[in-house]
Amino acid sequence: MAVNSRGWKWSGTDGLWRGYTAIDLATGAYIAVATGAVLLSFRGDGIRGWPWVLTAHALVAALVLLAPRARTVGRVGRFLGDWYPMLLLPALYGEIGVLTLSAGFQNDLLIQRLETWVFGSQISYRWIRESPNVVWSWVLHACYLAYYPILYTAPFALWMAGRRDASRHTIFAVMATFYLCYVAFLFFPVAGPRYAFDGAHNAATEVGPARFAAWLLDRGDSWGAAFPSSHVAASVVATGMALRYWRALGLVLLPFTAGLILAVVYGRRHADRGSDRAATRAGRRLRSGVRQQRLVLHVHVGHRHRDRRPAHRAHEVPEVLLVE
């Protein structure tokens, strides 16, 4: 690849890839993989509404094909030709839940065991229950809500400052991170503690930012997108690119990104009252569309060795029965 005034461009400018940039090729490759995931679903029960999903993929592919031409037709076209993957982010993330809903919880046990092996406990379950600090919860959830501002501020500020190449490089780095995470979600979906565990109900879950974050997740969370955390990965990449190309901008974003990393453990995956309803709805969809099976996850948190503390203590995670 070569770098020119239009960003990272495929080196074969006189052949098939003339005018296409790295972000076009990455987007096209991801759509091809996602389409393959849809086709593979027909080996089982298939995906409800699959014609609409494939139609959406065809429209995104059309955008990829039109992007080189768009970049030559003025400022608006140039902006849309470079920014269309970032503008499609909410739709691409929402699609994950459609493609992975029938996957259930079969990969959660492995990730929970890995977390227990590394940390000695289920931190995402214990932390907010054992340390329900109102101020801490307010700050961390506010950082979590800064997720989209972090993602878009880095490339947009660079763009508006006239650092167009830096903005394009940032867009590519962020979207490549998302695409890698999304491929992992498609073929190794993990529902996460938000759906697997009962919700925490204490002072920390009642602060304004925590309630608003739960409200957003109820309406925009995608089943199967818990591991790896695309929120953390993309935010870290966006902030890193900002630090590289405009240090002052990166330093502004850095504390919010650090808070977001902690927030996804402390608060993102716990379920408050609204999230309980979301988990119930997801469970109903599973039961209506998937063969009934039972998977019992024996999750040991706290100390590595069993003790005699009663299961209702805040630092104990009860045995979780998941219906897939």
Side-chain angles (χ1 to χ4, degrees), residues 57-132:
H57 287 184
L59 292 174
V60 176
L63 289 177
V64 172
L65 295 175
L66 291 172
R69 182 173 180 82
R71 298 184 187 108
T72 65
V73 292
R75 292 182 179 179
V76 175
R78 188 178 303 113
F79 178 85
L80 294 177
D82 288 331
W83 276 79
Y84 72 94
M86 294 287 290
L87 300 178
L88 291 173
L89 258 180
L92 294 174
Y93 180 73
E95 182 193 46
I96 298 296
V98 175
L99 298 181
T100 63
L101 181 59
S102 63
F105 292 95
Q106 66 262 39
N107 297 318
D108 284 61
L109 179 57
L110 175 61
I111 300 304
Q112 289 172 4
R113 285 176 172 172
L114 177 63
E115 183 177 350
T116 302
W117 180 73
V118 173
F119 299 106
S121 67
Q122 290 289 314
I123 297 178
S124 58
Y125 183 92
R126 295 178 56 196
W127 192 6
I128 197 168
R129 288 168 168 80
E130 296 183 7
S131 303

Side-chain angles (χ1 to χ4, degrees), residues 16-312:
L16 178 63
W17 308 114
R18 181 179 182 181
Y20 292 100
T21 62
I23 190 61
D24 299 329
L25 300 178
T27 302
Y30 171 72
I31 292 300
V33 172
T35 301
V38 175
L39 298 178
L40 286 174
S41 72
F42 291 111
R43 297 171 61 182
D45 297 330
I47 295 172
R48 291 184 179 180
W50 63 266
W52 295 105
V53 175
L54 293 182
T55 299
H57 287 184
L59 292 174
V60 176
L63 289 177
V64 172
L65 295 175
L66 291 172
R69 182 173 180 82
R71 298 184 187 108
T72 65
V73 292
R75 292 182 179 179
V76 175
R78 188 178 303 113
F79 178 85
L80 294 177
D82 288 331
W83 276 79
Y84 72 94
M86 294 287 290
L87 300 178
L88 291 173
L89 258 180
L92 294 174
Y93 180 73
E95 182 193 46
I96 298 296
V98 175
L99 298 181
T100 63
L101 181 59
S102 63
F105 292 95
Q106 66 262 39
N107 297 318
D108 284 61
L109 179 57
L110 175 61
I111 300 304
Q112 289 172 4
R113 285 176 172 172
L114 177 63
E115 183 177 350
T116 302
W117 180 73
V118 173
F119 299 106
S121 67
Q122 290 289 314
I123 297 178
S124 58
Y125 183 92
R126 295 178 56 196
W127 192 6
I128 197 168
R129 288 168 168 80
E130 296 183 7
S131 303
N133 186 287
V134 171
V135 175
W136 186 243
S137 178
W138 201 101
V139 171
L140 291 187
H141 282 93
C143 289
Y144 178 74
L145 293 172
Y147 165 61
Y148 276 115
I150 292 170
L151 290 184
Y152 288 93
T153 295
F156 189 71
L158 290 169
W159 184 279
M160 295 303 294
R163 307 183 187 192
R164 300 295 169 84
D165 287 350
S167 177
R168 294 183 183 102
H169 298 169
T170 301
I171 290 172
F172 173 78
V174 169
M175 290 308 304
T177 302
F178 273 119
Y179 292 149
L180 290 174
C181 290
Y182 289 178
V183 169
F185 298 158
L186 291 175
F187 296 99
F188 191 82
V190 177
R194 172 175 159 79
Y195 295 102
F197 297 144
D198 290 335
H201 304 298
N202 54 40
T205 66
E206 296 299 324
V207 298
R211 294 175 64 86
F212 186 52
W215 182 85
L216 289 176
L217 288 173
D218 287 350
R219 289 153 181 79
D221 197 17
S222 281
W223 181 279
F227 182 87
S229 174
S230 59
H231 290 66
V232 169
S235 296
V236 169
V237 169
T239 301
M241 297 298 284
L243 286 168
R244 176 182 179 183
Y245 289 115
W246 192 356
R247 187 173 180 80
L249 173 63
L251 291 175
V252 170
L253 298 178
L254 187 59
F256 294 99
T257 301
L260 184 146
I261 294 172
L262 297 175
V264 297
V265 180
Y266 186 78
R268 177 192 175 195
R269 294 302 181 183
H270 79 272
D272 68 4
R273 291 178 180 85
S275 301
D276 287 342
R277 291 194 294 272
T280 300
R281 290 195 297 269
R284 287 173 180 169
R285 290 197 297 269
L286 279 176
R287 287 191 290 272
S288 65
V290 185
R291 189 174 46 189
Q292 296 296 307
Q293 298 175 343
R294 287 192 172 186
L295 176 63
V296 179
L297 303 183
H298 297 277
V299 182
H300 177 67
V301 297
H303 300 287
R304 291 183 182 274
H305 302 287
R306 186 180 302 275
D307 57 31
R308 295 181 178 277
R309 290 188 297 246
H312 66 272

